[in-house]
Amino acid sequence: MGYEFKCKDIGMDCGFDVKADSIEELIPVIQAHAKNAHGINEITPELFNKVKSAIKEY
Ligand SMILES: [Zn+2]
């Protein structure tokens, strides 16, 4: 059991996906990816909500 995030689920043309045991572990990985791969330096509250709703349990 854990949580999974796929970049394409927020509408990005991107094959990145990440799995972790908790959302708390997932967020920093997503932040680092957003910065490195998409040049997003700051996660706005709007984007954060989008990311959170795209996170799925598996
Ligand atoms: Zn991406």
Side-chain angles (χ1 to χ4, degrees):
M1 280 293 285
Y3 296 89
E4 180 174 25
F5 170 78
K6 289 180 181 160
C7 216
K8 67 174 167 56
D9 288 347
I10 58 163
M12 295 290 196
D13 183 16
C14 174
F16 175 80
D17 81 286
V18 59
K19 288 176 181 165
D21 291 336
S22 69
I23 291 174
E24 290 70 29
E25 284 173 58
L26 220 47
I27 298 296
V29 180
I30 295 166
Q31 276 176 331
H33 169 77
K35 190 174 180 179
N36 297 333
H38 302 295
I40 299 166
N41 288 315
E42 194 191 344
I43 308 267
T44 62
E46 191 187 18
L47 181 58
F48 187 73
N49 284 336
K50 221 170 158 183
V51 166
K52 260 174 72 179
S53 63
I55 293 173
K56 302 204 168 61
E57 280 186 70
Y58 70 92

